[in-house]
Amino acid sequence: MKETCKTIDHAWLTRPTGDPFADTGGIVIKYLWTLPHLKDKDILELIDYVANIYVNKWNGKLHAFFLNSTITQPAFKGQRKIDETLKYYKGLIDETVSAQEGYCRISGRKAKLFPAGRDNHILSGSGRFVNFHHHFESGLLLSKEMMIRMFFVPLGVMQIGKNLGLIQSNRLDIQEFFVKEILLGIDGHLSATIKGVLRCSYSNPGIAIFSFADYCIANMKVLTFNDSTEEVESEGVILNLYYFSNYGTDPNIQFFTMPATLFKFYSACVKNPNYNRDWNLFIKHNYVKYKSYKANYNQDNESYVERATEIIQMSITVYESMRQNNDLNFNIAKVGEHDGFAQFNKSDYDNWKQKSKAYSEWKKEPIIKNCLKKEPIKTIKGDFLINYSIEDCSKKWINIVYDKLLNQKSILENICNYLRKNHKTNSFSFNIVKLYTLNILKMKNSTLKLIEKLADEVLKDESNLKKNINQSISSSRLEILRSFLIKLIRKNHSNMAEEPILSLEEYAKDLFYEGSNWKEIRDLLLICLFQKMHERKIFFDNDDNDELAEINTDLELDEIND
């Protein structure tokens, strides 16, 4: 790092601030200065280097970051984009552009401040939107160091579906790890072949944050596994994902967070060898393509099965071009290949095509136009039984369980529904349920012990087990469940048992205590029952009109965003 610019506080170019965008830009600057061919450059020369990447390798495609900036300004062409960029940042560094004294809104330090708008900063109003800012200022007022950091942000984020994703953590080493992976990973931003923002293989941000957690668990020291207690302990890791776009008239941002409690629970599920098989199977059964989609997961070949009357067929060359073009956001699941052609469900293809603003322009590109002339995209009609691979669906669909975990909604009904349908073949360790209820739902351990005790009592009457589960325990009415429990207590008393099933204190303080959700208690009892039935090889077929199955399906699908 060459400190030739005397008006720059170089420490503030890389120092952590707590602002996700400024910190990402700072990490990029810090890492670029460690590279042999960049370590002797000053900050203006580093800006020149990155501007050349944006203009000559990315074709100036920074529209999702900066609106009408010196890079995206259509009036500027080629080298002029770079020249105008250097002219602007040199003016900041030399303080030849207008500035005012004050306290920077990001760093908090007293310095010369410059206006930050959508042309040089991400997601900030300016100009006529003065009412959005303190004291009716014309925009955010930032120090030159913070303004410079923003220019480097595009190198530290990735494309996730239609928007951009920025990863942040309470641990700076984790955030630095992900930024370096984006810069240098497979086809990272500093690769000679990259032609724009790096595309994440996951198109759904809710699933992507769990994939980042997986990557973090696998590659960093963020947890320990105790062989004797078989417990996983994480180190208080928090992962945040800022899902945003500053594009045109539709700037927006969504915030996804995995708090430390969820990270710890998830780590235990995937890292504990006694839990991971049950957990992974459960997750695979909970992918859906869209709201109201009835997923039919075939566990034997790890695919989702669906009937279709039309499929789309296109050449592999066209498919690869679409997949690699970030502007197209081509994220539909491929259902097969045949003689050099990729195949898709026509309804998936039509849905994507309607939403792709860049599709018509892409078709006009000479290489694509010639390719489509030789091998046009075809629609084939028939009666098709198509298979979506779990690998493809896990990257392109929605997962009900992940969605609920991120939105702090209970997944007990999902576990219950899963076991109801699959208890003959699949187990689900009640220890996972305990971990979830104790750490995420904050239930009492005494409640779980009482539920296990009740489950054992219900299982004693095996001849009436199906009836009791379907008609009494699965009921959507609290009074029916309570009536069933009273019958159990009465029967236990009639049999002159030495101990009561539950005392009044347990009923009031552990089972239906103040503030509890009785449906969660019901679901826990059912989960415990199905797991114990699986362990004891007690099975029965489910009726299509089972009440709980219908209730749970409606609840799950109502809570998924389009």
Side-chain angles (χ1 to χ4, degrees):
M1 176 179 68
K2 190 165 58 176
E3 299 185 11
T4 54
C5 303
K6 301 302 182 185
T7 56
I8 286 284
D9 187 332
H10 288 79
W12 275 104
L13 288 173
T14 57
R15 184 178 294 173
T17 66
D19 180 277
F21 296 98
D23 285 351
T24 296
I27 293 168
V28 172
I29 293 171
K30 181 180 176 181
Y31 187 73
L32 291 178
W33 264 329
T34 66
L35 300 177
H37 62 294
L38 299 176
K39 66 179 183 179
D40 293 328
K41 292 185 180 293
D42 64 23
I43 189 61
L44 196 60
E45 291 170 324
L46 207 60
I47 292 170
D48 183 22
Y49 172 80
V50 172
N52 270 277
I53 291 176
Y54 293 159
V55 174
N56 297 321
K57 292 175 71 173
W58 294 17
N59 294 321
K61 292 181 178 180
L62 295 183
H63 302 81
F65 296 95
F66 308 114
L67 181 66
N68 291 328
S69 69
T70 53
I71 300 290
T72 60
Q73 174 59 250
F76 300 157
K77 305 294 182 183
Q79 183 60 38
R80 190 182 173 190
K81 289 178 179 288
I82 300 172
D83 294 341
E84 292 291 337
T85 299
L86 291 174
K87 178 182 176 182
Y88 170 72
Y89 284 102
K90 190 175 188 304
L92 284 183
I93 293 169
D94 295 343
E95 299 178 357
T96 56
V97 297
S98 60
Q100 65 183 69
E101 287 284 343
Y103 292 91
C104 174
R105 289 279 292 275
I106 291 179
S107 68
R109 61 187 278 261
K110 190 173 183 179
K112 290 282 183 68
L113 304 181
F114 304 85
R118 289 183 64 191
D119 60 328
N120 56 13
H121 185 269
I122 300 166
L123 297 173
S124 62
S126 60
R128 65 181 181 275
F129 300 112
V130 293
N131 54 303
F132 285 100
H133 301 287
H134 294 299
H135 308 298
F136 298 100
E137 293 169 342
S138 59
L140 291 177
L141 294 176
L142 305 177
S143 64
K144 63 171 77 76
E145 292 82 5
M146 298 303 116
M147 300 285 282
I148 289 169
R149 287 164 76 141
M150 295 300 163
F151 183 70
F152 292 84
V153 170
L155 285 175
V157 303
M158 65 177 70
Q159 183 98 18
I160 304 175
K162 65 179 181 178
N163 288 339
L164 301 161
L166 182 151
I167 307 166
Q168 185 196 39
S169 175
N170 60 324
R171 277 182 42 175
L172 188 62
D173 61 328
I174 291 176
Q175 191 168 348
E176 288 180 342
F177 170 78
F178 279 113
V179 170
K180 289 177 184 177
E181 284 295 306
I182 291 168
L183 284 168
L184 292 179
I186 299 173
D187 292 332
H189 281 158
L190 298 184
S191 162
T193 59
I194 193 73
K195 295 181 180 180
V197 178
L198 184 68
R199 177 174 284 279
C200 176
S201 59
Y202 293 85
S203 59
N204 183 291
I207 296 178
I209 193 170
F210 282 91
S211 76
F212 298 146
D214 288 332
Y215 206 68
C216 187
I217 292 166
N219 294 280
M220 299 197 72
K221 184 174 174 50
V222 293
L223 53 87
T224 56
F225 180 70
N226 190 314
D227 292 319
S228 58
T229 62
E230 297 183 343
E231 291 183 355
V232 170
E233 285 294 333
S234 68
E235 299 179 3
V237 174
I238 299 170
L239 283 183
N240 296 322
L241 175 63
Y242 293 81
Y243 188 59
F244 70 96
S245 174
N246 201 35
Y247 194 86
T249 58
D250 189 30
N252 62 85
I253 188 166
Q254 286 178 275
F255 180 65
F256 297 84
T257 184
M258 182 179 283
T261 50
L262 177 55
F263 188 91
K264 179 180 179 180
F265 167 71
Y266 181 70
S267 299
C269 291
V270 298
K271 199 69 177 175
N272 191 321
N274 299 314
Y275 301 165
N276 56 17
R277 183 185 179 279
D278 289 355
W279 176 258
N280 289 335
L281 270 177
F282 169 58
I283 290 297
K284 288 175 182 178
H285 276 265
N286 279 281
Y287 285 102
V288 294
K289 185 162 42 171
Y290 50 77
K291 185 177 179 179
S292 76
Y293 181 75
K294 305 295 183 183
N296 184 15
Y297 180 61
N298 186 322
Q299 192 169 299
D300 293 333
N301 62 10
E302 291 199 328
S303 68
Y304 284 85
V305 183
E306 183 183 277
R307 285 199 173 277
T309 56
E310 293 179 305
I311 61 171
I312 290 290
Q313 187 167 281
M314 69 177 69
S315 73
I316 294 295
T317 305
V318 173
Y319 165 67
E320 287 298 332
S321 172
M322 295 173 84
R323 190 177 64 83
Q324 294 172 18
N325 189 324
N326 283 4
D327 293 338
L328 293 177
N329 188 30
F330 187 74
N331 58 6
I332 63 175
K334 185 171 63 175
V335 298
E337 285 188 18
H338 180 69
D339 292 339
F341 289 87
Q343 297 173 333
F344 307 90
N345 186 334
K346 188 174 185 298
S347 63
D348 295 349
Y349 180 78
D350 289 344
N351 182 52
W352 162 80
K353 190 175 174 181
Q354 290 172 6
K355 296 177 180 178
S356 178
K357 298 176 183 178
Y359 175 73
S360 58
E361 294 300 319
W362 167 83
K363 285 183 69 176
K364 296 175 184 177
E365 293 182 11
I367 296 175
I368 302 303
K369 193 174 181 179
N370 291 334
C371 188
L372 290 174
K373 191 175 181 180
K374 295 177 185 176
E375 298 173 329
I377 297 172
K378 298 178 181 178
T379 299
I380 303 173
K381 297 186 177 183
D383 184 16
F384 302 99
L385 187 66
I386 58 180
N387 289 274
Y388 296 99
S389 71
I390 185 64
E391 182 180 359
D392 214 0
C393 294
S394 67
K395 294 180 178 179
K396 303 180 188 301
W397 287 10
I398 301 164
N399 191 281
I400 297 169
V401 174
Y402 288 162
D403 188 68
K404 284 192 170 184
L405 287 171
L406 290 174
N407 287 289
Q408 299 180 349
K409 296 178 180 178
S410 174
I411 63 169
L412 292 180
E413 60 189 11
N414 302 83
I415 300 171
C416 185
N417 201 27
Y418 166 73
L419 284 174
R420 188 181 192 86
K421 295 176 182 177
N422 303 286
H423 72 276
K424 287 184 178 180
T425 55
N426 300 345
S427 64
F428 193 83
S429 173
F430 199 65
N431 286 332
I432 298 176
V433 180
K434 289 179 181 177
L435 196 67
Y436 173 71
T437 53
L438 293 173
N439 291 280
I440 305 297
L441 297 183
K442 304 300 181 184
M443 280 191 181
K444 297 182 289 186
N445 191 44
S446 55
T447 300
L448 296 173
K449 288 181 178 178
L450 187 57
I451 285 170
E452 287 194 83
K453 182 180 176 182
L454 286 171
D456 288 330
E457 195 67 31
V458 173
L459 286 169
K460 288 179 181 179
D461 189 5
E462 192 172 330
S463 60
N464 290 311
L465 186 57
K466 183 176 181 179
K467 177 185 174 183
N468 288 336
I469 287 178
N470 287 341
Q471 295 182 14
S472 299
I473 304 174
S474 299
S475 176
S476 60
R477 294 164 58 190
L478 173 58
E479 62 267 26
I480 293 177
L481 177 60
R482 280 178 163 167
S483 176
F484 173 74
L485 293 177
I486 291 170
K487 286 178 183 178
L488 272 185
I489 295 168
R490 184 182 297 143
K491 186 177 179 180
N492 182 67
H493 179 264
S494 298
N495 293 335
M496 294 183 286
E498 291 185 9
E499 296 289 336
I501 295 174
L502 71 161
S503 66
L504 177 61
E505 186 177 12
E506 289 174 325
Y507 184 90
K509 291 187 176 181
D510 293 323
L511 202 59
F512 298 113
Y513 55 91
E514 186 178 355
S516 67
N517 183 328
W518 78 267
K519 288 185 178 180
E520 289 181 346
I521 301 299
R522 175 201 65 185
D523 291 341
L524 280 169
L525 179 55
L526 285 165
I527 291 166
C528 191
L529 275 169
F530 285 125
Q531 181 59 24
K532 286 178 179 289
M533 285 166 58
H534 179 86
E535 292 167 358
R536 302 179 193 186
K537 304 197 182 305
I538 302 172
F539 306 118
F540 57 75
D541 294 324
N542 298 317
D543 297 329
D544 291 336
N545 61 349
D546 279 350
E547 183 183 11
L548 184 64
E550 291 180 356
I551 292 170
N552 281 347
T553 299
D554 291 341
L555 284 171
E556 290 161 4
L557 296 174
D558 282 346
E559 290 170 349
I560 297 171
N561 296 321
D562 288 323

